C-alpha cells in the first residue's frame, strides 16, 4: 500500500507521521519526501477497518492538507522508466562498481554475454570480457572515457567505458565505477570517424592470413606496376582493388571497373579502348574507352581470365607501350593508368590449358595478392557476422539483433562456398524474415548445409578394395572441388602435387574439361 501526503513544510512533520505508524505497529517499507510538499509512504496492505482509522489520524496532523492512496512511489516509477529505457537500447549496456562487479545489465547485454540477464548482476565483468584489462583501468580511478576493442564470445566489439564520479552535498566526489557500452562495429570504422582514415578499413579480418595480406597490399598499393588479385567468388577482390587504389597516389583520380566476362567480344574492345566517329556505323559518335576515361587513375579488369584472345593481344601491347588505337582510328592515344586484374581461379591453370596468353600472364603477374576463402579464416566469421548484421539492421530500419551462441557456432561450422558475399546475403535474408530481436541457429537459412554432411561411407559388399578406395577418393574430390575450384588450391588442401590432383580430377571426370594448348605451326 502506498500513500501520498500533501502538506506544508514544517519541522517535525515526518516524525509525527512515523509516530502514528509506530503506534499502530505498521511495518514501514519506504518513505520518500518531495521538496514540493509531498510525503510518500510504502507499507503492507491493511485491513479496511485499520485503514479507515489511519487516514483521518494522519489528516489531523498540523500542516497536512490531504492524504490519498497511489499506485506507486516516485522511485518505483523512475525505476520502471529507467529499466524500460535501458532495455530498449539496441547496444549492450552494463554498470559496474569500482571493483568491476556488474550491478545493472540491460536485455541486450544479457543476450550478448550469457543468453539470460539474471546471471550477470553480482559477477565480475572480467568473467565475460577479454582483450582489455578493466580491473587495472578501474584501479586508476580514471576521469576520462576509454574506448577499447574487446572480445566477447569470440566476437570483436568496441567497449566504451565511462567513469562514474558521485558528488556529496559538499561537492566532494568519489569514484563509484563505470558504465560500459558495447558497439558491434569494426574497429577500423571507429578510427575513420575519428579522422584516422585507412583505405583498407572495409576489409575486416583478425586472422593471420588476412593481416599478412593487408600488410602486403599496403606496400603494393604504392607501386606503379600491374597488380593481380586472385580469389574465389565473393571473397572481396574488387573491395581489395579499390582499397589499393585509395591507398595509392592515384586516389584522387578515377577508379573504373569492367567485368570482362560480361562483355561480348564485339563490345569489349570498344568499351576498353574506345572508337572513332563512324567506325561502328554511319551515325556513331566518337567515344573514349575505359582506359582513356581513367587517365591518371586505376582500371580494374575483373575476371580477366575470360578475356578473348584478340583482346588479350591488344591489352598486352597497351601494357608494354602505354599506347593504343581507338577502333577505326590510326592515331595512337597515350594514357597513364594502373591496371589491376582480378581472377576467380588460378590464371596459371588457364595458361597451361591454352586459354590465356603466357606472355600476358607474366606481364600481369608482377605483383600478386591471393585473398583466402572464408572457410580458411573461420575466426573472422564472428567479426564479419556482427558487422553485416549491424548493416542489415540499419538498412531494414530495425533495432539491433543479437546473434545467439548457437547461431555463431553454426556460422563458423559452415563451409561458405560463396564466401563473404554469401555470409552477408544469408544474414540479410535471415534478419529481414526475423520477428524477434535474437537470431537463433534455426532462423539462419543455409541452403547447402545438408550437402555438407553427405555420407562418405563406402559399401564393401560389392567390388574389390581398389574399387572401394577409388569410389571413396572420388567422393572426397567431388565434395571438395566446389570449394577449391583451382587444382593448385585443391592440391595444397590435400597435401598432394598439382599434377597428381589434376590427373585424378581428369580420371573421375570432375570439374571443367581442359583443352590442350594448340600447337603453333
Amino acid at each position: 500500500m502506498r500513500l501520498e501526503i500533501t502538506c506544508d513544510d514544517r519541522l517535525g512533520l515526518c516524525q509525527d507521521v512515523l509516530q502514528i505508524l509506530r503506534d499502530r505497529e505498521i511495518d514501514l517499507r519506504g518513505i520518500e519526501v518531495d521538496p514540493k510538499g509531498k510525503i510518500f509512504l510504502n507499507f503492507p496492505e491493511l485491513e479496511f477497518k485499520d485503514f479507515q482509522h489511519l487516514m483521518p489520524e494522519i489528516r489531523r496532523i498540523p500542516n497536512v492538507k490531504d492524504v490519498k492512496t497511489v499506485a506507486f512511489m516516485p522511485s518505483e516509477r523512475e525505476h520502471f522508466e529507467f529499466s524500460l529505457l535501458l532495455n530498449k537500447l539496441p547496444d549492450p549496456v552494463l554498470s559496474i562498481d569500482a571493483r568491476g562487479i556488474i550491478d545493472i545489465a540491460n536485455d541486450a547485454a544479457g543476450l550478448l554475454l550469457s543468453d539470460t540477464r539474471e546471471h550477470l548482476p553480482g559477477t565480475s565483468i572480467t568473467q565475460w570480457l577479454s582483450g582489455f584489462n578493466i580491473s587495472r583501468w578501474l584501479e586508476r580511478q580514471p576521469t576520462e572515457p576509454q574506448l577499447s576493442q574487446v572480445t566477447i564470445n569470440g566476437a570483436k566489439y568496441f567497449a566504451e567505458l565511462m567513469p562514474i564520479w558521485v558528488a556529496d552535498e559538499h561537492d566532494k566526489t568519489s569514484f563509484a565505477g563505470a558504465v560500459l557500452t558495447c558497439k558491434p562495429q569494426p574497429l577500423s570504422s571507429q578510427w575513420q570517424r575519428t579522422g584516422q582514415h585507412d583505405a583498407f578499413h572495409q576489409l575486416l579480418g583478425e586472422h593471420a592470413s588476412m593481416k599478412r595480406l593487408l600488410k602486403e597490399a599496403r606496400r603494393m598499393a604504392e607501386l606503379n606496376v600491374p597488380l593481380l588479385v586472385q580469389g574465389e567468388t565473393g571473397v572481396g577482390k574488387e573491395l581489395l582493388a579499390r582499397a589499393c587504389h585509395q591507398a595509392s597516389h592515384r586516389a584522387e583520380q578515377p577508379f573504373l571497373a569492367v567485368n570482362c566476362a560480361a562483355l561480348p567480344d564485339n563490345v569489349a574492345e570498344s568499351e576498353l579502348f574506345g572508337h572513332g566517329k563512324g567506325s561502328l556505323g554511319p551515325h556513331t559518335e566518337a567515344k573514349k574507352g575505359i582506359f582513356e576515361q581513367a587517365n591518371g587513375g586505376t582500371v580494374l579488369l575483373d575476371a580477366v581470365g575470360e578475356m578473348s584472345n584478340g583482346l588479350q593481344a591488344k591489352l598486352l601491347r597497351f601494357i608494354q607501350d602505354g599506347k593504343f588505337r581507338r577502333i577505326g582510328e590510326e592515331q595512337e592515344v597515350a594514357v597513364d593508368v594502373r591496371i589491376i586484374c582480378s581472377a576467380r581461379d588460378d590464371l596459371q591453370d588457364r595458361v597451361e590449358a591454352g586459354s590465356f596468353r603466357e606472355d600476358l600472364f607474366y606481364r600481369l603477374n608482377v605483383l600478386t595478392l591471393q585473398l583466402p576463402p572464408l572457410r580458411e579464416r573461420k575466426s573472422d566469421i564472428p567479426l564479419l557476422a556482427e558487422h553485416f548484421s549491424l548493416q542489415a539492421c540499419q538498412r531494414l530500419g530495425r533495432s539491433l539483433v543479437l546473434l545467439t551462441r548457437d547461431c555463431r557456432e553454426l556460422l563458423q561450422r559452415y563451409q561458405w562456398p560463396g564466401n563473404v558475399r554469401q555470409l552477408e546475403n544469408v544474414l540479410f535474408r535471415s534478419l529481414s524474415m526475423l520477428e524477434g530481436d535474437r537470431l537463433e541457429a534455426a532462423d539462419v537459412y543455409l541452403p547447402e548445409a545438408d550437402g555438407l554432411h553427405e555420407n562418405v561411407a563406402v559399401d564393401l559388399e560389392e567390388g574389390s578394395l581398389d574399387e572401394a578406395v577409388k569410389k571413396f577418393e572420388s567422393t572426397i574430390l567431388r565434395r571438395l572441388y566446389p570449394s577449391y575450384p583451382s587444382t593448385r588450391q585443391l592440391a595444397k588442401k590435400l597435401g598432394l602435387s598439382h599434377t597428381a590432383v589434376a590427373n585424378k580430377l581428369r580420371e573421375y571426370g570432375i570439374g571443367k574439361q581442359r583443352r590442350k594448348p594448340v600447337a603453333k605451326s
Side-chain angles (χ1 to χ4, degrees):
M1 179 171 286
R2 291 144 182 86
L3 292 184
E4 177 188 300
I5 303 173
T6 305
C7 57
D8 293 329
D9 188 24
R10 176 177 65 83
L11 186 64
L13 180 60
C14 285
Q15 187 63 37
D16 294 341
V17 173
L18 295 177
Q19 187 61 51
I20 293 175
L21 298 180
R22 280 197 296 268
D23 294 343
R24 294 183 172 273
E25 297 182 348
I26 296 175
D27 181 19
L28 183 65
R29 292 176 176 172
I31 179 171
E32 297 177 27
V33 179
D34 189 334
K36 296 181 180 179
K38 290 186 178 180
I39 301 172
F40 295 88
L41 305 175
N42 181 3
F43 49 82
E45 291 288 332
L46 300 178
E47 295 288 340
F48 179 74
K49 61 179 181 178
D50 296 328
F51 178 70
Q52 69 177 2
H53 290 99
L54 175 64
M55 297 288 278
E57 192 170 352
I58 294 177
R59 286 192 179 98
R60 287 195 291 268
I61 296 175
N63 288 49
V64 171
K65 295 180 177 180
D66 189 27
V67 183
K68 64 179 181 180
T69 59
V70 290
F72 44 77
M73 304 279 281
S75 61
E76 291 176 318
R77 176 183 173 86
E78 291 176 3
H79 171 75
F80 285 114
E81 288 175 336
F82 171 74
S83 297
L84 180 62
L85 177 63
L86 191 64
N87 289 323
K88 285 298 181 182
L89 293 176
D91 293 330
V93 178
L94 300 129
S95 175
I96 56 178
D97 65 17
R99 297 174 296 122
I101 304 301
I102 299 174
D103 292 324
I104 302 172
N106 69 346
D107 287 346
L111 293 175
L112 174 65
L113 270 65
S114 68
D115 291 337
T116 169
R117 188 174 57 154
E118 285 70 21
H119 293 167
L120 295 178
T123 62
S124 174
I125 186 65
T126 57
Q127 176 181 338
W128 311 99
L129 178 149
S130 62
F132 177 71
N133 196 327
I134 294 182
S135 298
R136 184 174 301 172
W137 181 78
L138 292 170
E139 288 174 0
R140 295 198 299 265
Q141 297 191 356
T143 57
E144 297 295 328
Q146 171 74 30
L147 181 67
S148 181
Q149 189 182 30
V150 298
T151 302
I152 301 174
N153 289 328
K156 301 291 184 180
Y157 288 84
F158 275 127
E160 185 175 11
L161 294 103
M162 294 169 286
I164 302 173
W165 287 84
V166 179
D168 60 16
E169 64 272 14
H170 303 296
D171 289 334
K172 182 180 179 181
T173 57
S174 300
F175 182 65
V179 172
L180 185 151
T181 303
C182 294
K183 294 185 178 296
Q185 294 178 261
L187 185 62
S188 51
S189 297
Q190 186 71 14
W191 293 163
Q192 186 184 24
R193 288 197 295 274
T194 56
Q196 302 181 22
H197 177 70
D198 179 8
F200 296 88
H201 72 276
Q202 290 187 335
L203 289 150
L204 307 180
E206 296 293 333
H207 192 271
S209 62
M210 280 300 292
K211 288 183 177 180
R212 184 169 55 252
L213 172 78
L214 294 179
K215 183 179 180 180
E216 294 174 354
R218 287 185 173 92
R219 292 200 302 266
M220 295 181 183
E222 301 172 357
L223 305 177
N224 194 30
V225 292
L227 173 63
L228 177 61
V229 180
Q230 296 189 122
E232 298 176 12
T233 297
V235 291
K237 296 186 292 295
E238 182 173 344
L239 202 62
L240 179 59
R242 287 183 181 274
C244 289
H245 169 73
Q246 291 297 326
S248 72
H249 67 277
R250 300 175 181 267
E252 300 300 322
Q253 301 303 319
F255 175 88
L256 299 180
V258 57
N259 188 342
C260 299
L263 292 177
D265 288 349
N266 59 343
V267 177
E269 185 175 1
S270 173
E271 284 294 317
L272 291 175
F273 300 101
H275 58 260
K277 184 176 182 179
S279 59
L280 301 181
H283 303 295
T284 56
E285 296 293 330
K287 176 188 175 182
K288 292 182 178 180
I290 294 292
F291 289 124
E292 204 169 346
Q293 295 173 39
N295 190 19
T298 304
V299 171
L300 169 64
L301 300 177
D302 187 23
V304 69
E306 306 294 333
M307 187 178 285
S308 67
N309 287 332
L311 206 55
Q312 289 179 37
K314 190 163 185 177
L315 176 61
L316 177 61
R317 288 195 298 271
F318 170 61
I319 294 174
Q320 290 173 335
D321 305 332
K323 299 177 181 179
F324 61 87
R325 291 186 179 93
R326 301 192 193 104
I327 297 175
E329 291 187 352
E330 295 183 358
Q331 183 180 359
E332 287 189 330
V333 178
V335 295
D336 172 29
V337 295
R338 186 189 190 184
I339 295 178
I340 300 180
C341 297
S342 68
R344 286 188 292 272
D345 49 13
D346 196 329
L347 279 185
Q348 182 70 53
D349 290 346
R350 287 183 174 268
V351 171
E352 294 176 3
S355 61
F356 198 81
R357 293 180 64 109
E358 186 175 10
D359 48 2
L360 178 58
F361 170 73
Y362 289 117
R363 282 285 183 178
L364 297 178
N365 195 31
V366 179
L367 301 175
T368 306
L369 292 172
Q370 182 76 42
L371 270 163
L374 190 57
R375 63 183 168 274
E376 292 183 4
R377 54 182 187 108
K378 289 192 173 184
S379 60
D380 285 340
I381 290 177
L383 173 65
L384 291 165
E386 294 289 355
H387 173 63
F388 290 139
S389 64
L390 174 66
Q391 283 190 333
C393 290
Q394 291 173 341
R395 289 172 59 188
L396 295 168
R398 62 175 300 163
S399 58
L400 180 65
V401 171
L402 294 175
L403 310 183
T404 61
R405 187 177 291 108
D406 62 335
C407 174
R408 291 192 292 266
E409 290 174 353
L410 172 66
L411 296 178
Q412 285 196 278
R413 287 196 306 268
Y414 191 62
Q415 292 299 306
W416 299 109
N419 291 294
V420 180
R421 184 186 298 125
Q422 184 189 12
L423 173 62
E424 181 179 10
N425 293 339
V426 163
L427 284 170
F428 183 82
R429 181 189 186 279
S430 301
L431 292 174
S432 64
M433 303 298 291
L434 186 68
E435 295 183 357
D437 57 1
R438 300 175 62 184
L439 188 66
E440 306 279 356
D443 301 318
V444 180
Y445 176 67
L446 295 175
E448 302 171 45
D450 293 339
L452 297 176
H453 304 289
E454 177 188 351
N455 186 6
V456 294
V458 177
D459 185 6
L460 295 176
E461 296 293 330
E462 301 178 2
S464 65
L465 176 62
D466 184 57
E467 291 173 344
V469 170
K470 285 187 175 182
K471 184 176 180 180
F472 182 84
E473 189 175 63
S474 172
T475 303
I476 292 293
L477 290 172
R478 289 184 190 280
R479 286 182 56 191
L480 289 177
Y481 184 78
S483 298
Y484 299 88
S486 163
T487 53
R488 294 182 184 277
Q489 296 174 26
L490 187 54
K492 182 179 179 181
K493 172 68 176 177
L494 295 174
L496 299 173
S497 70
H498 167 250
T499 303
V501 171
N503 290 337
K504 289 182 182 296
L505 293 175
R506 191 179 300 110
E507 178 183 356
Y508 299 128
I510 300 172
K512 55 193 175 187
Q513 298 296 319
R514 302 180 183 276
R515 57 185 178 89
K516 297 181 179 179
V518 178
K520 295 181 180 180
S521 57

